[in-house]
Amino acid sequence: MSLVRPITPHLWFDRQAREAAGFYCSVFPDSRLESVVTLRDTPSGDCDVVSFELCGQPFMAISAGPLFRLNPSVSFIVNFDPVRDPRARERLDATWAALIEGGQALMPLDAYPFSPRYGWVQDRYGLSWQLILSEPAEQAPPAIMPSLLFVGEACGQAEAAGAFYRSVFEDSQPGRLIRYPDGMAPDREGSVMFSDFRLGETWFAAMDSAREHDFGFNEAISFVVTCRDQPELDRYWAQLSSVPEAEQCGWCKDRFGVSWQVTPAVLGSIMASGDEARIARVTRAFLDMHKLDVAAIEAAAAEEIAS
């Protein structure tokens, strides 16, 4: 498999990354805070970068100022499987109670045609979660799955986006594809009511919504692709980066407006080293990069970068 790790959702906060990660780790089982690294003297000042896992799914978060705001265009579906857990409904309700405190319901916790227990909540930090009591299935659903909502000018592109992403990432596969039937205006018949697909080790969901929304994809949530070496990084960058003005520090934006970070595995190792001087040198090196240069990052880490 090409990817070193599963694709990692990356959350942008003003100053609450460490606090939010701690809160999420207290809410979800099989969760842990892995590391906190402070990047010094960035354009946003000193920034905490937090790595953590929720239900075994890796996440990252950064405190980097109020440049981008979380919104429901990217949410996280949390599956509660009664086949694997007889207390799934009880755990769903407890998770909802924790997440809605200080937040708001986007779809009330209730029975729906697609699930006997479901709710969509935006938590106190602005992050959106869809909690669902899963129906029995041949393949157990992932505990947490990023979900992309294509709205506004992007509405109608969910199916094309899924096909594109599967062409980019090795060892990918399609999952379910449920289309809107006739009579569900403003949603167009045949557009995607729900779909899911696997990219490497990570499952995603995608859907269209023609209803009026005041949000869309932005850099508040991006997806980190960890690469083994420069050739692999170059390949992903060439396919994912479609908006030159959005390229910065390994960040890029694809043709659908979704943000990605294409990064070498060695950068993660450096950031986890705890060597503040080394981290500072590497941070100075990559701040001026668009696509990341693995050799330059390694040279900065080894103090070999030219003065």
Side-chain angles (χ1 to χ4, degrees), residues 150-170:
F150 291 78
V151 300
E153 293 183 358
C155 182
Q157 300 185 57
E159 184 174 3
F164 170 68
Y165 298 143
R166 293 194 300 274
S167 75
V168 171
F169 293 94
E170 297 175 8

Side-chain angles (χ1 to χ4, degrees), residues 7 41 54 61 66 95 107 121 154 158 167 197 219 223 228 250 268 275 283:
I7 296 170
D41 301 322
L54 302 179
T95 303
M107 290 180 67
V121 57
S167 75
F197 45 88
E219 288 85 346
F223 296 98
R228 293 172 298 189
D275 185 333
T283 301

Side-chain angles (χ1 to χ4, degrees), residues 175-216:
R176 293 166 291 175
L177 176 58
I178 302 169
R179 302 183 186 278
Y180 284 106
D182 186 24
M184 295 195 69
D187 291 296
R188 178 175 53 82
E189 180 183 4
S191 59
V192 176
M193 180 185 291
F194 180 85
S195 66
D196 58 13
F197 45 88
R198 182 171 56 79
L199 305 180
E201 298 179 14
T202 305
W203 280 90
F204 280 73
M207 57 198 78
D208 293 309
S209 176
R211 299 184 181 277
E212 187 173 340
H213 300 286
D214 61 355
F215 56 78

Side-chain angles (χ1 to χ4, degrees), residues 253-294:
K253 188 171 289 190
D254 69 28
R255 66 185 70 174
F256 304 102
V258 177
S259 292
W260 301 82
Q261 296 183 56
V262 186
T263 183
V266 67
L267 183 58
S269 298
I270 293 166
M271 293 299 165
S273 70
D275 185 333
E276 292 192 8
R278 193 173 178 227
I279 292 169
R281 292 195 305 271
V282 168
T283 301
R284 287 194 298 270
F286 72 64
L287 281 177
D288 291 331
M289 296 179 187
H290 290 235
K291 180 177 69 175
L292 295 185
D293 183 327
V294 178

Side-chain angles (χ1 to χ4, degrees), residues 122-136:
Q122 189 171 47
D123 69 30
R124 65 188 71 174
Y125 301 104
L127 189 59
S128 297
W129 306 86
Q130 299 184 59
L131 311 186
I132 186 167
L133 193 66
S134 306
E135 297 286 359

Side-chain angles (χ1 to χ4, degrees), residues 1-7 167-172 199-201 224-241 250 252 260-267 291-295:
M1 183 174 294
S2 177
L3 293 182
V4 176
R5 295 191 71 192
I7 296 170
S167 75
V168 171
F169 293 94
E170 297 175 8
D171 192 28
S172 298
L199 305 180
E201 298 179 14
V224 179
V225 182
T226 304
C227 304
R228 293 172 298 189
D229 50 30
Q230 189 72 55
E232 185 173 63
L233 188 152
D234 291 346
R235 180 172 67 81
Y236 281 118
W237 186 268
Q239 295 178 90
L240 291 172
S241 184
C252 65
W260 301 82
Q261 296 183 56
V262 186
T263 183
V266 67
L267 183 58
K291 180 177 69 175
L292 295 185
D293 183 327
V294 178

Side-chain angles (χ1 to χ4, degrees), residues 11 13 24 59 70 74 76 121-123 125-129 221:
L11 315 175
F13 295 94
Y24 299 140
F59 280 81
L70 297 164
V74 180
F76 293 91
V121 57
Q122 189 171 47
D123 69 30
Y125 301 104
L127 189 59
S128 297
W129 306 86
I221 298 183

